[in-house]
Amino acid sequence: MKAGHKCLLFHHIVLSVIVLCHGQNLFFNDNGNLILPGSYNIPWMASIQNFRTLSLITIPGTHDSLALHGGPLAKCQAFSLKNQLRAGIRFLDLKVFELGDTLYVMHGVMYQRTTLKEVLDTVRAFLSEYNTEAVLIRVRSESFEKDMVNRMVQSLIGNDQHVWVNSGMPTMGQVRGKIVFLQKSTFTLGIPLIETNGKGSSKVTDVENKDKTIINQLSQAIEACGGDNAVMTYTSGTGFGTFWGMFLTPGRVAEKVNPWLNQYLRQFYPNQPRPCFGVIAMDFPGFDLIQTVINLNSW
């Protein structure tokens, strides 16, 4: 075999190994295609007892759930909304901007090519098909008149009985087939939300320090689970706006954090019962990482 052909073959083998390894360890995903295992059960919440309160469930979510556009500095997800829901995501983090009579989904100044109405329609369609599930939604206003967002969301909901806007903590049985809003700051519809993230925790200059921050946050989440509030931890981060982390885009942070997070969470599998972490909102979660979070719900 000629030297050139040997070199080409070597590179082909190396590339194949990289692709295979990536495919077997889907903790980080920057590919929009979702290939579900043939045996995968999409409605995973069906196995949760009706009497269990929502605040005692560990729920996989996404940070800036529809930040699919705008380049490496803005992009936080690869899966479309439909694919996120099918993969097991049950918490959505949405930033909206009011213009005229429409709430546009944004990430900073970047329009994410959809509206809140379209998002709600997609979630409703999913819940109509899989009515054992519930999808939690946090709305964050990027508008100048933040109170207007509350009124516009209420208008979109109307008298829909499949939307939970009460402040009381429901059981799983009470919210099956429903959208559950979470309230925080100026958004006042739904269950009160506690974040474990301290000030500046999303800024990353060193990924190892980010790991330590997440450990502290998840410890706080364990303590707060089971109360009258929903509890959420963001594992996302970016170095944008810092000097030492200027090249750490959300994707680069997630590429390092997600495999570590998967390993960290799996250490709790021998525990019976396993601890509750509330909502874990991630950037670029791969299918295997989402399943790791779901499987913490073992009592």
Side-chain angles (χ1 to χ4, degrees):
M1 184 181 291
K2 292 182 180 180
H5 289 167
K6 286 182 179 178
C7 184
L8 183 62
L9 178 62
F10 174 77
H11 283 294
H12 177 72
I13 291 172
V14 170
L15 180 61
S16 298
V17 169
I18 291 172
V19 170
L20 285 173
C21 287
H22 180 70
Q24 291 170 353
N25 299 285
L26 296 178
F27 312 127
F28 168 81
N29 174 70
D30 59 358
N31 187 320
N33 296 322
L34 174 66
I35 301 175
L36 295 175
S39 60
Y40 180 57
N41 188 30
I42 292 175
W44 63 267
M45 283 180 155
S47 64
I48 296 175
Q49 302 98 323
N50 280 334
F51 64 79
R52 196 163 296 279
T53 58
L54 206 58
S55 61
L56 279 172
I57 303 170
T58 300
I59 297 174
T62 44
H63 156 258
D64 271 312
S65 301
L66 295 184
L68 299 166
H69 310 284
L73 290 178
K75 191 173 179 182
C76 297
Q77 307 300 332
F79 287 145
S80 67
L81 175 56
K82 286 182 180 179
N83 280 347
Q84 287 184 38
L85 295 172
R86 286 168 55 78
I89 293 295
R90 295 293 179 268
F91 166 84
L92 303 176
D93 177 41
L94 304 173
K95 292 176 181 171
V96 299
F97 185 84
E98 167 263 327
L99 187 62
D101 59 354
T102 303
L103 288 171
Y104 296 93
V105 178
M106 307 291 291
H107 185 205
V109 298
M110 300 300 302
Y111 171 50
Q112 295 304 313
R113 306 180 191 178
T114 191
T115 65
L116 183 60
K117 181 183 183 304
E118 291 169 335
V119 170
L120 296 179
D121 286 347
T122 299
V123 175
R124 282 183 174 117
F126 173 81
L127 292 172
S128 176
E129 184 175 0
Y130 300 102
N131 60 12
T132 60
E133 308 304 284
V135 177
L136 284 61
I137 296 181
R138 178 188 186 183
V139 175
R140 292 194 272 174
S141 173
E142 300 280 64
S143 299
F144 301 112
E145 306 230 357
K146 298 186 185 298
D147 290 342
M148 179 67 74
V149 170
N150 281 283
R151 293 194 290 271
M152 293 178 74
V153 172
Q154 186 66 70
S155 178
L156 283 174
I157 297 168
N159 294 317
D160 191 343
Q161 298 302 304
H162 292 91
V163 180
W164 184 275
V165 293
N166 300 332
S167 60
M169 180 60 64
T171 63
M172 187 68 233
Q174 289 175 298
V175 293
R176 291 197 191 278
K178 294 182 181 180
I179 293 169
V180 179
F181 279 108
L182 303 180
Q183 61 167 294
K184 176 81 175 176
S185 186
T186 58
F187 188 77
T188 57
L189 300 176
I191 303 167
L193 175 66
I194 296 174
E195 292 180 61
T196 62
N197 298 55
K199 186 177 180 181
S201 61
S202 64
K203 293 297 182 183
V204 180
T205 55
D206 183 282
V207 176
E208 285 189 10
N209 286 336
K210 178 63 175 175
D211 295 350
K212 294 173 185 175
T213 299
I214 294 172
I215 290 174
N216 290 333
Q217 292 170 232
L218 291 175
S219 297
Q220 293 174 44
I222 292 174
E223 294 296 322
C225 270
D228 295 330
N229 305 287
V231 182
M232 182 189 61
T233 296
Y234 286 120
T235 65
S236 53
T238 178
F240 183 65
T242 70
F243 179 76
W244 297 109
M246 66 177 72
F247 298 113
L248 289 173
T249 63
R252 287 191 173 185
V253 172
E255 194 170 9
K256 298 292 186 181
V257 166
N258 290 6
W260 168 86
L261 178 63
N262 185 79
Q263 185 177 17
Y264 178 78
L265 293 175
R266 287 186 68 87
Q267 73 175 310
F268 296 98
Y269 275 24
N271 296 23
Q272 290 298 333
R274 294 171 185 170
C276 165
F277 293 98
V279 174
I280 302 178
M282 305 163 282
D283 279 350
F284 297 102
F287 179 77
D288 288 359
L289 176 56
I290 294 170
Q291 297 310 299
T292 292
V293 176
I294 290 171
N295 289 333
L296 287 164
N297 295 294
S298 175
W299 298 282

